[in-house]
Amino acid sequence: MLNTPDTSPLFQAKDEVQFHRGMAALIAESTGATAILFAARDDGPILLATRLRGSLPAGLLDDRELKSTLSAALASGNLVSHKFVQADLILWALPVKGEGNLGLALLAKPSLLDAGGEARMLAWIAVPEALFAQRKLRLERDTYRDGLDQACFFLDTLHRSGSAPSYARGMQALAEDLRQFVGADRVAIGLGTPMRCKAAALVPASKF
């Protein structure tokens, strides 16, 4: 059974780059292996995020055999491994399902595979699929919630302006609500055509 640490901080990432870095850090800390999130490009795979665990030989992350292994994993859609004999390291690379040309690789000493370590590695290398799916659900939920909040705001605005005691007060209420919604210092509502427009409401009136 895979013991997954608290992943909630990961979903507070402000953008995709921060999310990638957080994921690499989470997996590296959980496995003890160097975690590499990579993507395919026309001129070969690029490393999107890397979290090192232990020291690596100089230039290994740019090594041709490492890049070839990453490319082979993306091309085949399956788990691909490679052993760096001189560096005494094993590399596993696996595409992230549902994420196009994105993949995760783990780089570790063979000694890390003792006592069930290999099974743990193989379990963790598939974790990004679930994390990406969960992030998509959260983003969709937040988008739906924002849309619902906006709909409620406009319904309330229409009610306030429509139930005002006069047309002028209703337009003023509408301008006040729009100012609050967009966060502007001043709002003006004009009626008419682009060539002939008459101000119907100014907020705040003292600033115009």
Side-chain angles (χ1 to χ4, degrees):
M1 181 179 178
L2 187 64
N3 294 320
T4 307
D6 179 23
T7 58
S8 56
L10 183 62
F11 298 108
Q12 295 172 11
K14 63 181 181 181
D15 54 32
E16 205 167 63
V17 172
Q18 197 176 75
F19 181 71
H20 291 163
R21 291 174 179 170
M23 182 184 297
L26 172 74
I27 295 175
E29 294 299 322
S30 300
T31 61
T34 290
I36 304 167
L37 202 65
F38 62 94
R41 292 292 186 271
D42 292 339
D43 56 348
I46 63 166
L47 309 187
L48 300 176
T50 304
R51 176 56 65 95
L52 301 180
R53 295 291 289 174
S55 60
L56 297 179
L60 182 64
L61 294 179
D62 294 319
D63 185 86
R64 186 182 63 179
E65 291 182 337
L66 184 142
K67 295 292 183 70
S68 295
T69 304
L70 304 185
S71 295
L74 293 174
S76 67
N78 299 311
L79 177 69
V80 176
S81 63
H82 178 77
K83 186 170 184 179
F84 296 93
V85 178
Q86 291 186 340
D88 192 30
L89 290 167
I90 298 179
L91 174 72
W92 295 268
L94 181 71
V96 179
K97 291 182 180 179
E99 292 302 317
N101 293 322
L102 214 65
L104 173 74
L106 295 176
L107 191 60
K109 293 279 187 182
S111 58
L112 199 61
L113 307 182
D114 297 340
E118 184 172 7
R120 186 175 69 253
M121 293 287 182
L122 293 177
W124 268 103
I125 204 169
V127 162
E129 180 182 348
L131 294 177
F132 273 106
Q134 190 174 350
R135 183 170 187 256
K136 283 182 179 177
L137 287 175
R138 287 173 180 251
L139 291 175
E140 289 172 359
R141 181 197 63 189
D142 292 344
T143 300
Y144 173 78
R145 183 181 294 164
D146 290 344
L148 187 60
D149 288 345
Q150 290 181 20
C152 291
F153 171 84
F154 284 117
L155 286 173
D156 182 61
T157 296
L158 289 174
H159 173 73
R160 276 176 20 89
S161 59
S163 59
S166 66
Y167 171 79
R169 292 282 297 276
M171 295 303 290
Q172 198 72 10
L174 177 60
E176 287 280 7
D177 285 353
L178 287 174
R179 179 190 177 203
Q180 175 187 345
F181 180 74
V182 300
D185 292 331
R186 296 180 290 276
V187 167
I189 296 179
L191 299 178
T193 67
M195 300 301 294
R196 278 182 78 110
C197 184
K198 180 180 179 181
L202 306 172
V203 177
S206 61
K207 297 291 182 66
F208 280 90

